[in-house]
Amino acid sequence: MTNEERLCKINLLQDFCTQHCINEDELYELFSQMEIIREGSPLDIYYEDGEITCRIDLAKNPIAFRISSVCKSPLCKERELWVLARVLKNANFEQVQAFIKTLPKISSYSWRVPQERELTYVLDAKRHLKDLEKLRYVFSLPCFIDDERDCLTCLVNSDRLESVMYYYPDFRIEGINPTEKLSWWVVCDAD
């Protein structure tokens, strides 16, 4: 493109932005979102209307994203998991169980609190976290891990909460009180 052509296109773009009340910062943000939308999602997206696709559609609400849980041990195999497109904040164990019952079914499995190793595998696979953050940005979702108490993994035995591990920092609380209000990121096995 010559300088003349570039100048002509810049003038057209400036006129368009002026007519539609788009400022430079908004234009920059929209442009970066358009690039992500054009690339498509590297993960399957489950939308509120039941559609499952890698196509990014800002007119729809994403419920969850499908990722693979990569186990580093030769004794376990890769698994597919759906992770919720939001974190349930400030809820006790009873409230999170009630919330899980309200979530729409994706597969034949139920939504649940993830086991410690599952979310650790998910977040250890840096590409997943990067992909999730990119999708979070384009859909204007709240941050999945915006403070030390957000990304929560648990050990649940016979519907009883036994221990909790915050992903950041990496420490465990044994014998947690189920009435304590925490942040939860729930998962569902994929078929």
Side-chain angles (χ1 to χ4, degrees), residues 164-181:
V164 171
M165 186 196 82
Y166 301 124
Y167 194 77
Y168 300 112
D170 188 7
F171 71 93
R172 184 190 298 268
I173 299 175
E174 299 288 346
I176 186 87
N177 180 349
T179 61
E180 186 179 344
K181 302 251 179 171

Side-chain angles (χ1 to χ4, degrees), residues 136-150:
R136 178 190 74 78
Y137 165 72
V138 80
F139 282 110
S140 301
L141 296 168
C143 192
F144 299 125
I145 312 170
D146 66 4
D147 64 38
E148 292 175 345
R149 293 171 65 94
D150 257 8

Side-chain angles (χ1 to χ4, degrees), residues 70-82:
V70 182
C71 178
K72 294 175 178 72
S73 163
L75 301 174
C76 60
K77 59 181 183 182
E78 184 176 299
R79 292 173 51 218
E80 296 282 317
L81 286 173
W82 289 101

